[in-house]
Amino acid sequence: MKWGVEARLNRDTTYFGTSPSGEYDFGGGTVYSPVFISSASGQHDVQPGQPLPDTLSSLLLGFPYAYTIAVAPPYASDGAHIGPAAINRNDVNAYVEDTWKINPHWTLDYGLRYELYTPISERANRTSSFLNSFPPAGVGQEYLINPQPTYQTNRNGWGPRLQVDWNAPQAVHVHMGGAITVIPPNIWQDNLLTGSTPYVVYPRVNAAQNGEIAYGFQITPNELPPVYNTAGVNVLASGDPKKSRRIR
């Protein structure tokens, strides 16, 4: 009989802020030609103001469909340290295992593991998320700043294991086994709480028929609108996001 326990206390620092210097996107929508483009046959000419036929034409002309940039408001860090997050992840687990040698040819290994992962949390109250991304019909969405709890704890972390060893004739050794495994939370793929509004804002401009997206376009932190709740109160008027609590 074997048994063991383990505890892991992760203290991570992450930075979320995609394209802090700005990003031009070609494709994804209609871009209108600013000039006349002739075709070899003369049957597929593109007049000024008409949609371009494909993404390659948009790229060759230098006319993007969209421009987006990651901008931090004045009360949050910007530049190389845009979208910081101090993430806590904790894990405790235990296992028990036994081996039963049925006969000289067959051996059965069986065990049980239990894992408990605490929800991802942020030590400086810099989280935000929709309360329900897909609310029922007739129910409006609610956006929360520093929701508590950040995630619900899943206590169903049982993981049974089973393996059969067969010492077959002719020096053949066969292993067969299976298990249920708990997938630990990933701070990038499973984390939808940090690096978003109102700590990092992603303004986006799309091309229109009567206007192009000018290169060198910039949006500064002071141009970002304040964050108000449904009562019209500026929830971050103090300039200190650490003082924010659960706000709708």
Side-chain angles (χ1 to χ4, degrees):
M1 180 75 69
K2 296 180 181 180
W3 66 274
V5 296
E6 179 188 18
R8 282 177 282 167
L9 309 179
N10 288 72
R11 298 297 180 265
D12 305 296
T13 299
T14 61
Y15 291 94
F16 292 87
T18 306
S19 303
S21 299
E23 174 184 312
Y24 293 95
D25 297 330
F26 296 88
T30 303
V31 179
Y32 301 90
S33 177
V35 296
F36 171 77
I37 304 175
S38 62
S39 62
S41 64
Q43 299 179 3
H44 305 285
D45 297 342
V46 178
Q47 301 295 330
Q50 287 186 333
L52 292 172
D54 48 41
T55 303
L56 179 60
S57 301
S58 172
L59 178 63
L60 293 176
L61 282 175
F63 274 71
Y65 168 67
Y67 172 80
T68 183
I69 186 172
V71 184
Y75 50 78
S77 60
D78 208 334
H81 291 169
I82 189 171
I87 297 177
N88 289 4
R89 295 180 298 162
N90 301 324
D91 164 50
V92 291
N93 58 77
Y95 78 92
V96 59
E97 176 187 339
D98 191 22
T99 299
W100 176 25
K101 191 168 184 178
I102 303 173
N103 56 46
H105 300 285
W106 292 91
T107 301
L108 179 66
D109 295 301
Y110 52 93
L112 181 65
R113 188 182 188 92
Y114 180 74
E115 300 185 50
L116 178 63
Y117 292 92
T118 62
I120 292 174
S121 62
E122 210 280 333
R123 297 188 293 275
N125 300 330
R126 292 171 295 197
T127 60
S128 58
S129 177
F130 284 104
L131 179 62
N132 187 351
S133 299
F134 302 97
V139 178
Q141 283 186 328
E142 291 185 87
Y143 194 77
L144 303 182
I145 298 177
N146 190 32
Q148 298 295 327
T150 52
Y151 292 105
Q152 299 296 325
T153 302
N154 185 358
R155 303 185 185 277
N156 189 28
W158 298 101
R161 279 105 164 99
L162 182 66
Q163 176 180 278
V164 176
D165 286 344
W166 177 34
N167 191 8
Q170 305 299 325
V172 177
H173 199 173
V174 180
H175 297 274
M176 296 172 290
I180 296 176
T181 303
V182 178
I183 301 176
N186 184 288
I187 62 174
W188 176 257
Q189 296 173 321
D190 302 324
N191 173 24
L192 302 177
L193 288 169
T194 59
S196 185
T197 305
Y199 309 105
V200 180
V201 184
Y202 299 88
R204 181 180 176 89
V205 179
N206 290 338
Q209 187 171 7
N210 59 352
E212 63 183 82
I213 298 176
Y215 289 103
F217 182 74
Q218 292 290 326
I219 298 175
T220 64
N222 291 326
E223 294 178 279
L224 298 178
V227 180
Y228 298 96
N229 62 13
T230 54
V233 178
N234 186 344
V235 297
L236 294 171
S238 66
D240 185 0
K242 294 181 181 181
K243 295 181 179 179
S244 64
R245 294 296 181 262
R246 179 172 175 151
I247 302 171
R248 297 177 185 268

